[in-house]
């Protein structure tokens, strides 16, 4: 049986270079102590924000300087525990980081409270009198918009101090998933034993053409999930209850209204994505599922069969070096400034590639201000991995450009926009490969990869969002959120979407246990918003050329200076209407059409 490596056994070239944040753990620990001391550089302004615009500016600049350091320190701790959550030192540092964040948040909570307590019209007058406040205009205006939902300064301080406690459900989920869960190995038809882990199941076995081994791995995976379902349900229920209570005490109409407010998204925009995609995409995806069952000769179509390659004998392999070269070629259409960021990311260890015990599953990009982005993936030498890498490099390219153009306060846009730059890179990579190859099988394979992107964003994450919508409604109605309720609701969501095309077994109902997004507010649906936008913008880039590229780069560099609708309008897409959503769904339908014809 192939042995999974410990973190210490992983070749250093397969890891990210966290020394770019802190040279040593001791340097990090020293900085944490210094941050806690330097909180005084901000708290010295307590009770003084009404003295005038220069005082407010000085306070906001001091807070921004401190928060840049907090972000770097907390990012280092997060990346360390993500690379190996079984390491007790990493666990301890993550806890220390969480305590630091909570202490800083509590100490600095007075800033927003005092600004909101200023007499109406004062902030507007300050903005007119002090040119230096111009960079903080949008942040201040966004803060003032929350005034109806703010609590007393004392209460806000207490809530901020409870930040570490509020983060407990997510921490319980992550620790259980990455440190405690063990999966039985499985034996293939040749008697060879294979290890199973979260990462291996999701990145390897789910894509495996060997139906017997794939389904054995699925059964091993599901057995362990069943053992933890009540623990995971309790953690998620606590997270949901936290949201419900906060929404009520702040006077929001619902949890959904509260969570959409910082995204600057209307209920209509949110509902459009959930309703249109589920209703209009389902027929196309059912056709794809039935095509997969027929072509692969499966006796039944299970949820664990949905990602199997349709042409399993044509499974292009690639090294990460080859994938990086291909990605750079594809993204050259975006110009030298953008591609230089990508080249640096690939050559200077911004990316953690290893598979080791305790490493976080999935993939993400973390972009601390004042440093470069860091990407976590588990590289398995598949061409599909090239699309995942391109996706995360999209985040890296976005934030690298935004940080060059904006100060910390104005770097991060609404979550609604966040997944547009990442999925844009996937669209560009897919179109590039299609343009370079006249091999019918390669064309079919690329279409399958693009459909994989739509499956991930329009199916996996959208059905997560639908479960969220149901769970919040149940919780607000006073219904307990238990493992059986979550399984029942997830089963209904899947059955409604897949109809008779896919058999929804007990294991499929446990899909809610597999994603950390449920602990991140209304994040899952934003994947579909981003992909809808990138579908439209990538089409314009290939049709219009440089003018569309220039608009896109301008939107990336704008960071958080604009609302998401304005950012996307800058890029040439109007997401206030359902038209782009329907166009994206129709595009998916056209890909399925071509795939059916190819068989």
């Amino acid at each position: 049986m192939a042995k999974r490596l410990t973190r210490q056994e992983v070749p250093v070239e397969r890891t990210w270079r966290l020394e770019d944040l802190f040279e040593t753990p001791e340097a990090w620990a020293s900085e944490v102590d210094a941050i806690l001391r330097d909180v005084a550089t901000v708290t010295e302004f307590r009770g003084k924000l009404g003295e005038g615009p220069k005082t407010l500016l000085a306070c906001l600049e001091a807070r921004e300087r401190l928060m840049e350091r907090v972000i770097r320190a907390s990012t280092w701790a997060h990346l360390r525990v993500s690379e190996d959550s079984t390491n007790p030192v990493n666990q301890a540092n993550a806890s220390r980081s969480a305590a630091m964040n909570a202490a800083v948040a509590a100490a600095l909570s007075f800033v927003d409270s005092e600004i909101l307590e200023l007499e109406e019209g004062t902030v507007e007058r300050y903005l007119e009198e002090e040119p230096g406040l111009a960079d903080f205009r949008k942040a201040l205006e966004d803060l003032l918009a929350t005034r109806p939902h703010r609590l007393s300064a004392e209460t806000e301080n207490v809530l901020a101090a409870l930040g570490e406690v509020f983060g407990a459900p997510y921490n319980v989920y992550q620790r259980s998933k990455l440190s405690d869960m063990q999966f039985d190995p499985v034996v293939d038809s040749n008697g060879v034993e294979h290890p199973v882990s979260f990462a291996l199941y999701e990145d390897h076995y789910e894509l495996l053409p060997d139906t017997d081994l794939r389904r054995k791995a699925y059964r091993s995976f599901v057995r362990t999930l069943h053992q933890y379902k009540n623990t995971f349900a309790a953690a998620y229920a606590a997270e949901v209850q936290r949201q419900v209570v906060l929404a009520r005490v702040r006077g929001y109409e619902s949890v959904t209204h509260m969570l959409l407010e910082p995204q600057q998204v209307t209920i209509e925009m949110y509902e459009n994505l959930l309703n249109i995609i589920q209703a209009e995409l389902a027929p196309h995806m059912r056709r794809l599922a039935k095509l997969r069952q027929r072509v692969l000769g499966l006796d039944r179509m299970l949820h664990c069969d949905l990602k199997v390659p349709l042409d399993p004998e044509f499974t292009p392999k690639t090294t990460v070096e080859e994938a990086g070269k291909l990605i750079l070629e594809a993204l050259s259409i975006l110009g030298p400034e953008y591609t230089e960021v990508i080249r640096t990311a690939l050559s200077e260890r911004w990316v953690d590639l290893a598979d080791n015990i305790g490493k976080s599953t999935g993939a993400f990009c973390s972009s601390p201000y004042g440093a470069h982005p860091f990407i976590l993936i588990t590289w398995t030498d598949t061409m599909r991995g090239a699309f995942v890498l391109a996706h995360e490099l999209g985040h890296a390219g976005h934030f690298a450009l935004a940080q060059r153009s904006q100060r910390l306060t104005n770097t991060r846009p609404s979550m609604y926009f966040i997944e547009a730059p990442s999925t844009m890179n996937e669209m560009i990579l897919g179109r590039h490969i299609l343009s370079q190859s006249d091999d019918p099988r390669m064309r079919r394979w690329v279409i399958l990869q693009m459909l994989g992107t739509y499956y991930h964003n329009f199916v996996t994450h959208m059905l997560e969002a639908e479960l969220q919508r149901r769970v919040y409604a149940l919780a607000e109605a006073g219904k307990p959120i238990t493992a059986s309720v979550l399984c029942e609701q997830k089963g209904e969501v899947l059955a409604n979407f897949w109809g008779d095309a896919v058999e929804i077994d007990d294991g499929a109902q446990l899909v809610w246990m597999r994603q950390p997004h449920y602990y991140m507010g209304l994040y899952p649906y934003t994947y579909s918003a981003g992909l809808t936008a990138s579908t439209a913008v990538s089409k314009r880039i290939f049709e219009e050329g440089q003018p569309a590229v220039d608009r896109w780069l301008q939107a990336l560099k704008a960071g958080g200076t604009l609302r998401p609708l304005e950012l996307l309008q800058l890029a040439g897409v109007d997401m206030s209407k359902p038209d782009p959503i329907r166009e994206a769904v129709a595009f998916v339908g056209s890909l399925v059409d071509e795939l059916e014809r190819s068989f």
Side-chain angles (χ1 to χ4, degrees):
M1 181 174 72
K3 174 180 175 288
R4 291 191 75 209
L5 301 178
T6 64
R7 186 66 182 183
Q8 291 71 30
E9 295 171 327
V10 171
V12 68
E13 63 271 14
R14 304 281 290 180
T15 67
W16 45 28
R17 194 171 61 203
L18 297 190
E19 292 83 0
D20 292 349
L21 283 173
F22 294 95
E23 282 288 344
T24 63
E26 292 75 22
W28 173 81
S30 177
E31 173 66 348
V32 170
D33 290 338
I35 286 169
L36 294 173
R37 288 195 303 270
D38 292 344
V39 164
T41 63
V42 184
T43 56
E44 66 176 312
F45 293 97
R46 189 190 305 274
K48 299 178 181 179
L49 299 189
E51 292 180 358
K54 290 190 181 302
T55 303
L56 176 60
L57 176 60
C59 178
L60 293 178
E61 289 177 335
R63 181 176 68 170
E64 187 180 59
R65 286 192 297 271
L66 185 69
M67 288 311 300
E68 180 176 340
R69 294 168 61 193
V70 169
I71 288 168
R72 287 179 67 125
S74 57
T75 297
W76 184 90
H78 167 64
L79 297 181
R80 282 296 186 203
V81 82
S82 296
E83 72 184 23
D84 183 6
S85 66
T86 65
N87 185 320
V89 175
N90 292 345
Q91 294 175 7
N93 287 340
S95 296
R96 186 176 179 187
S97 174
M100 173 195 68
N101 282 321
V104 171
L108 272 53
S109 67
F110 80 91
V111 179
D112 287 352
S113 294
E114 282 193 27
I115 292 171
L116 291 171
E117 288 168 359
L118 293 173
E119 187 176 336
E120 195 163 341
T122 300
V123 172
E124 290 81 357
R125 176 168 58 82
Y126 283 3
L127 284 165
E128 289 179 8
E129 294 175 359
E130 175 50 65
L133 283 171
D135 283 349
F136 296 94
R137 175 180 291 276
K138 182 174 182 296
L140 288 168
E141 290 174 347
D142 290 347
L143 175 62
L144 292 178
T146 70
R147 184 174 268 156
H149 303 290
R150 294 290 290 193
L151 306 173
S152 70
E154 293 79 8
T155 304
E156 292 291 351
N157 182 272
V158 170
L159 290 175
L162 289 171
E164 188 175 2
V165 176
F166 289 158
Y170 174 71
N171 288 332
V172 169
Y173 170 80
Q174 286 290 81
R175 294 282 173 85
S176 297
K177 175 179 174 182
L178 302 177
S179 301
D180 295 340
M181 298 181 83
Q182 299 294 322
F183 303 88
D184 295 331
V186 290
V187 179
D188 65 21
S189 56
N190 295 318
V192 179
E193 194 172 68
H194 301 263
V196 178
S197 69
F198 238 105
L200 284 172
Y201 179 73
E202 295 188 335
D203 298 331
H204 174 62
Y205 290 114
E206 259 194 325
L207 309 172
L208 203 63
D210 184 335
T211 298
D212 179 64
L213 185 57
R214 181 179 68 254
R215 289 181 175 177
K216 282 179 178 176
Y218 174 65
R219 289 192 290 271
S220 168
F221 188 64
V222 166
R223 272 196 303 274
T224 298
L225 291 185
H226 269 295
Q227 294 170 8
Y228 283 79
K229 65 182 178 182
N230 293 309
T231 299
F232 279 36
Y236 183 40
E239 173 69 14
V240 171
Q241 190 59 27
R242 178 178 77 88
Q243 307 274 22
V244 170
V245 170
L246 283 175
R248 284 176 180 163
V249 300
R250 291 193 181 281
Y252 284 96
E253 186 176 334
S254 70
V255 172
T256 301
H257 285 80
M258 179 181 75
L259 295 177
L260 287 179
E261 184 182 73
Q263 294 183 13
Q264 300 177 327
V265 171
T266 65
I267 289 287
E268 183 181 16
M269 291 164 64
Y270 166 75
E271 297 277 357
N272 277 347
L273 283 161
L274 265 71
N275 296 337
I276 293 173
I277 289 177
Q278 287 187 84
E280 299 186 15
L281 184 69
H284 299 309
M285 284 296 162
R286 290 173 189 173
R287 282 195 293 136
L288 183 59
K290 289 179 178 178
L291 176 65
R292 182 170 270 110
Q293 182 178 7
R294 176 174 63 81
V295 171
L296 298 177
L298 299 176
D299 57 334
R300 50 207 283 238
M301 190 66 190
L302 300 177
H303 194 268
C304 65
D305 300 323
L306 284 168
K307 294 185 179 181
V308 188
L310 257 175
D311 188 359
E313 294 180 0
F314 189 80
T315 53
K317 298 288 185 181
T318 185
T319 65
V320 69
E321 292 78 16
E322 292 167 340
K325 182 180 177 182
L326 182 64
I327 290 168
L328 280 168
E329 289 174 358
L331 297 180
S332 63
I333 195 172
L334 296 181
E337 182 181 13
Y338 186 89
T339 51
E340 185 55 36
V341 173
I342 307 305
R343 183 176 291 105
T344 304
L346 292 168
S347 62
E348 298 190 6
R349 286 179 53 208
W350 292 13
V351 187
D352 196 88
L353 303 160
D355 173 38
N356 57 261
I357 296 167
K359 182 174 177 177
S360 181
T361 61
F364 66 74
C365 177
S366 184
S367 302
Y369 192 86
H372 61 72
F374 294 86
I375 292 170
L376 178 143
I377 67 172
T378 301
W379 187 261
T380 55
D381 283 335
T382 64
M383 271 295 288
R384 178 61 196 162
F387 282 81
V388 177
L389 181 57
H391 177 104
E392 299 305 335
L393 287 168
H395 289 306
H398 174 203
F399 282 107
L401 293 183
Q403 289 183 18
R404 289 178 187 175
S405 304
Q406 309 296 337
R407 63 193 304 159
L408 172 60
T409 298
N410 293 327
T411 296
R412 192 170 184 83
S414 163
M415 192 180 287
Y416 190 83
F417 181 81
I418 288 293
E419 296 300 338
S422 54
T423 54
M424 168 66 80
N425 281 12
E426 292 188 70
M427 293 296 101
I428 290 176
L429 178 61
R431 287 175 179 268
H432 173 75
I433 298 173
L434 287 175
S435 70
Q436 298 295 307
S437 175
D438 55 6
D439 180 349
R441 293 185 83 184
M442 176 58 82
R443 181 174 184 86
R444 184 165 65 188
W445 183 88
V446 172
I447 289 171
L448 281 166
Q449 303 320 298
M450 296 177 76
L451 283 171
T453 296
Y454 284 102
Y455 178 90
H456 184 71
N457 294 278
F458 276 11
V459 180
T460 299
H461 291 314
M462 184 52 71
L463 298 188
E464 287 174 12
E466 177 58 30
L467 180 64
Q468 281 188 307
R469 178 161 65 172
R470 288 167 171 242
V471 167
Y472 286 140
L474 289 170
E476 287 171 331
K479 306 291 185 184
I481 306 303
T482 64
S484 61
V485 167
L486 290 168
C487 288
E488 177 187 349
Q489 292 296 321
K490 189 64 183 182
E492 283 187 14
V493 168
L494 292 170
N496 290 344
F497 185 83
W498 290 109
D500 64 355
V502 179
E503 183 179 322
I504 307 302
D505 59 4
D506 289 346
Q509 294 180 358
L510 294 171
V511 168
W512 61 269
M513 296 178 65
R514 291 170 55 179
Q515 291 286 355
H517 299 125
Y518 295 112
Y519 300 86
M520 302 175 185
L522 290 181
Y523 184 26
Y525 92 98
T526 63
Y527 280 89
S528 63
L531 184 52
T532 296
S534 62
T535 300
V537 176
S538 62
K539 182 173 182 288
R540 287 161 174 73
I541 285 174
F542 281 91
E543 290 176 350
E544 299 177 30
Q546 197 60 45
V549 169
D550 291 341
R551 290 196 303 269
W552 180 241
L553 294 178
Q554 189 179 0
L556 296 184
K557 292 177 181 180
T561 58
L562 299 172
R563 291 169 175 261
L565 268 181
E566 297 166 336
L567 275 176
L568 290 168
Q569 285 168 349
L570 187 63
V573 181
D574 185 0
M575 289 291 288
S576 67
K577 300 175 181 176
D579 299 8
I581 306 171
R582 291 201 161 96
E583 289 173 10
V585 170
F587 179 65
V588 176
S590 71
L591 293 177
V592 177
D593 289 342
E594 182 167 351
L595 201 58
E596 286 182 324
R597 288 194 298 271
S598 77
F599 285 101

